[in-house]
Amino acid sequence: MKWTERQKLRIGGEEKDVPWWVNDKLKLANFCKENDLPTPNIDVVWEHPDQIDLSSFGENFVLKPSVLHSARGVMVLKRLPDGKFYDGLTQRELTQETIIKEQTKHFEDCKYKSNYRIFIEEKVAGDDEVGGAVPLDYKIYCFYGVPRMVFQFNRNHKPKRAAWFDGQFRPIRMRENIRSDWKFIHHGVHILPREWEKMLEIASRASKLVKTPFISVDMFSSKRGPLIGELTPAPGGPFYGDMYKFSEEFDTDLGREWAAALERMKGDVK
């Protein structure tokens, strides 16, 4: 069974014990803290967007809803001299009133209002060579302790730029593994994280702790070391294929990794 076929079962609710709870960013932050997994610091949590007050925070910080995905509602903010804020993710200037209005719209559109929170998170300073407002995102595809692929995502460009590594941070052969029409992303430069081995170790440990055969451990290479940003049970990029998809052979290879991970999990239970 290919990776995409297993993902279809997962998304369709046919796989048991999927750790969907990791999609709640506050639950994930508590999980990371309890298990000594490094993650950005959280400053304050609000229950509703109309409680947002940005007057007491520093020059740079991140505003996030707790239960949305695909960067919806995330604002990487820099305070400007005129009292406005610059969102590095969307490259716009915003007032606090506009921020509250947009966050309220996200809240109203969300199906999971009982768990919905919005919070201020530390602005991660990347140790990479990019120097943009948003640090590089390294999405490490882990199969119960075994990193198999790393998707490097640079959000500082339009279109965004992407690069792929294998599970040991070696660039993969694009023609053999990745398919794209390059409308929504462009090729990026491979940038090896400063502490790439530690990053892989953290991702591997996190994937085993959540007890699932597959998880994408989304990480930053920050100036204070590797940090977990999110855990993603069902990455939409290669599944839906809008940005890119796997070649048939690579899709099959990752499906075999999933099957092997299931066997390792059974062995650990015994």
Side-chain angles (χ1 to χ4, degrees):
M1 192 180 297
K2 298 174 185 176
W3 180 89
T4 49
E5 292 171 331
R6 290 193 178 274
Q7 277 289 5
K8 186 176 181 179
L9 293 176
R10 173 171 282 193
I11 293 169
E14 298 183 50
E15 181 186 352
K16 295 181 180 179
D17 302 321
V18 179
W20 295 114
W21 61 266
V22 302
N23 289 331
D24 186 320
K25 297 177 180 63
L26 291 178
K27 289 182 180 179
L28 176 61
N30 289 332
F31 170 82
C32 289
K33 185 176 181 180
E34 291 168 0
N35 289 282
D36 197 28
L37 296 167
T39 192
N41 297 316
I42 291 176
D43 198 336
V44 66
V45 180
W46 295 293
E47 293 186 357
H48 191 279
D50 63 13
Q51 298 173 325
I52 292 173
D53 181 358
L54 305 178
S55 61
S56 61
F57 299 100
E59 183 181 359
N60 296 283
F61 53 91
V62 180
L63 186 67
K64 282 186 176 182
S66 61
V67 292
L68 300 184
H69 56 83
S70 302
R72 282 184 61 214
V74 176
M75 295 178 172
V76 181
L77 299 174
K78 178 182 177 65
R79 189 184 302 277
L80 300 175
D82 61 2
K84 294 181 181 178
F85 299 88
Y86 180 76
D87 179 12
L89 201 58
T90 58
Q91 300 178 10
R92 300 176 299 157
E93 286 192 12
L94 303 168
T95 63
Q96 177 168 294
E97 291 71 23
T98 303
I99 290 170
I100 292 173
K101 182 178 179 180
E102 292 190 8
Q103 293 296 340
T104 299
K105 180 65 166 60
H106 287 303
F107 173 79
E108 290 172 347
D109 291 343
C110 181
K111 298 177 182 179
Y112 311 105
K113 289 182 175 59
S114 61
N115 293 323
Y116 199 104
R117 300 291 185 273
I118 189 161
F119 60 94
I120 295 290
E121 185 179 83
E122 160 195 6
K123 167 66 170 67
V124 173
D127 75 340
D128 50 63
E129 302 167 9
V130 176
V134 185
L136 293 181
D137 192 358
Y138 292 93
K139 301 176 183 296
I140 304 174
Y141 280 36
C142 286
F143 297 85
Y144 194 64
V146 178
R148 182 63 174 80
M149 186 200 80
V150 183
F151 173 48
Q152 173 195 297
F153 202 35
N154 186 345
R155 303 176 187 272
N156 293 288
H157 299 271
K158 290 186 178 180
K160 300 174 179 69
R161 296 184 183 178
W164 290 262
F165 300 86
D166 68 11
Q168 291 299 313
F169 268 109
R170 296 170 297 213
I172 66 173
R173 297 178 182 273
M174 294 291 293
R175 290 184 180 179
E176 296 176 12
N177 298 292
I178 304 298
R179 301 286 181 267
S180 178
D181 58 14
W182 307 110
K183 290 181 179 178
F184 301 107
I185 54 173
H186 284 177
H187 287 284
V189 177
H190 290 87
I191 298 179
L192 186 68
R194 179 166 48 89
E195 297 184 73
W196 64 270
E197 291 174 305
K198 184 176 180 181
M199 182 179 281
L200 292 178
E201 183 275 323
I202 292 168
S204 174
R205 188 157 57 90
S207 77
K208 294 188 75 173
L209 284 168
V210 294
K211 297 180 174 60
T212 188
F214 167 77
I215 198 88
S216 174
V217 184
D218 305 348
M219 301 191 69
F220 303 112
S221 179
S222 80
K223 293 188 182 299
R224 64 182 181 90
L227 300 174
I228 292 177
E230 296 183 3
L231 300 185
T232 307
F239 178 75
Y240 295 107
D242 294 333
M243 288 196 301
Y244 75 97
K245 59 184 178 179
F246 300 135
S247 67
E248 290 290 316
E249 182 179 356
F250 195 40
D251 198 4
T252 301
D253 286 346
L254 294 182
R256 293 194 191 103
E257 293 288 346
W258 195 309
L262 284 168
E263 291 302 312
R264 289 195 296 276
M265 288 179 66
K266 291 178 184 177
D268 280 359
V269 170
K270 293 177 181 179

